[in-house]
Amino acid sequence: MTRWILLPTVAALAVVLVAGGATAAPASGAADPHACAGPGVLFCEDFDRLPLGGASSLNWGIDTRAGTLTVERRATDGRRPSKVLHVQTRDNGRAFLRVDDFAAPGNRFFGRMRLRVDAFPTAPDWAHFTLVEATGTGSTEIVRPVGGQYVPNLNRSLWGIGADGGPTGDWTNWRESAPTVADRWQCVEWQLDATDNRVAVWIDGVANPELTASTTAHGGNDVPFVLPTVHTVKIGWQLYQGNTTPGRFDLWIDDIALSSRRLGC
């Protein structure tokens, strides 16, 4: 049964409807950037409605080899514990949440996820990892907007946009100005825009202009870089070389969203 309760506020008395399962909107009226509902959202998963344990959903698929996806309850960056996706792989395994039959208006979209990586690779030399991968039709490029590489001469792991499988070759355009950070929650955003075949990245809401690619500016050869018409987006972890250090990789992901407009953190 619905109950009406009068609650005092600073300015006046507000009438609040309390109903089963309903959640009141913030008093300020500001949109919740972590919410799945909103204009422009093409895909969203916050894991809150999924049971704990092995991850599965009718809204997305799974792509794993020597890896697992599980839903856990975990505190995230000082917030109260919520359900998140635990991605775990062994050595050069992979474990991805896979969004198929994806379509963005004009082949232009933004992505967003909250992320904590327990540890990035420190071996072998040039160990290459991917967290987000996009594929489709019209171009054979496998686009990796979020990923990076362990650079031995710098003894550090760096973020870098990459691609493979297409005419530009296999490349990861890592940048010294974009070091990875382990064991800390971060918000990572990316954009793919077919207008000029642009890939862009934001970390914790801050644009990283060095982490970009476009038709003529990318880490491959002199062949123009052309985005596919994206039909599949994979989010998780893959490492491409064996005999890794550490031998197991753990990361936690929350608040995944793909949208025709930038959602922010």
Side-chain angles (χ1 to χ4, degrees), residues 167-256:
T168 60
D170 180 7
W171 51 273
T172 301
N173 197 16
W174 50 264
R175 296 292 180 174
E176 291 187 52
S177 57
T180 61
V181 178
D183 198 26
R184 192 180 84 189
W185 282 97
Q186 293 182 290
C187 175
V188 180
E189 301 171 84
W190 63 94
Q191 179 191 23
L192 273 63
D193 187 349
T195 304
D196 59 352
N197 300 295
R198 176 166 298 276
V199 184
V201 174
W202 295 257
I203 298 176
D204 288 333
V206 178
N208 286 66
E210 69 275 38
L211 293 178
T212 59
S214 62
T215 307
T216 57
H218 54 83
N221 53 38
D222 293 333
V223 176
F225 175 61
V226 179
L227 290 172
T229 300
V230 176
H231 294 162
T232 300
V233 180
K234 298 198 298 186
I235 299 170
W237 176 272
Q238 181 168 5
L239 203 149
Y240 302 94
Q241 294 78 32
N243 299 314
T244 61
T245 301
R248 190 184 84 184
F249 295 93
D250 292 272
L251 58 152
W252 292 266
I253 297 176
D254 197 9
D255 297 323
I256 297 172

Side-chain angles (χ1 to χ4, degrees), residues 2-245:
T2 300
R3 295 180 293 116
W4 292 91
I5 303 175
L6 294 180
L7 297 178
T9 64
V10 174
L13 292 178
V15 180
V16 178
L17 173 64
V18 180
T23 302
S28 64
D32 180 0
H34 307 298
C36 278
V41 174
L42 305 170
F43 171 84
C44 190
E45 180 60 81
D46 60 11
F47 307 101
D48 288 341
R49 294 172 177 80
L50 299 183
L52 299 175
S56 66
S57 172
L58 296 176
N59 297 322
W60 42 265
I62 290 174
D63 179 5
T64 62
R65 180 186 59 80
T68 59
L69 299 175
T70 56
V71 177
E72 298 180 355
R73 190 176 300 279
R74 192 176 183 90
T76 59
D77 195 21
R79 300 164 66 193
R80 65 182 182 181
S82 64
K83 291 180 181 178
V84 300
L85 182 68
H86 181 190
V87 180
Q88 184 180 97
T89 65
R90 299 180 301 279
D91 201 47
N92 61 336
R94 68 175 182 267
F96 285 112
L97 177 156
R98 178 176 173 134
V99 183
D100 290 308
D101 300 321
F102 177 75
N107 199 31
R108 178 182 185 271
F109 69 96
F110 295 81
R112 191 274 318 279
M113 65 180 172
R114 299 183 69 246
L115 169 73
R116 177 183 174 274
V117 181
D118 188 47
F120 288 90
T122 57
D125 290 353
W126 307 106
H128 174 205
F129 51 89
T130 295
L131 287 84
V132 178
E133 182 176 283
T135 54
T137 59
S139 170
T140 55
E141 299 280 9
I142 301 170
V143 184
R144 295 163 177 156
V146 183
Q149 201 160 21
Y150 170 68
V151 182
N153 54 309
L154 299 175
N155 192 30
R156 65 194 315 187
S157 174
L158 303 171
W159 291 117
I161 290 174
D164 193 8
T168 60
D170 180 7
W171 51 273
T172 301
N173 197 16
W174 50 264
R175 296 292 180 174
E176 291 187 52
S177 57
T180 61
V181 178
D183 198 26
R184 192 180 84 189
W185 282 97
Q186 293 182 290
C187 175
V188 180
E189 301 171 84
W190 63 94
Q191 179 191 23
L192 273 63
D193 187 349
T195 304
D196 59 352
N197 300 295
R198 176 166 298 276
V199 184
V201 174
W202 295 257
I203 298 176
D204 288 333
V206 178
N208 286 66
E210 69 275 38
L211 293 178
T212 59
S214 62
T215 307
T216 57
H218 54 83
N221 53 38
D222 293 333
V223 176
F225 175 61
V226 179
L227 290 172
T229 300
V230 176
H231 294 162
T232 300
V233 180
K234 298 198 298 186
I235 299 170
W237 176 272
Q238 181 168 5
L239 203 149
Y240 302 94
Q241 294 78 32
N243 299 314
T244 61
T245 301

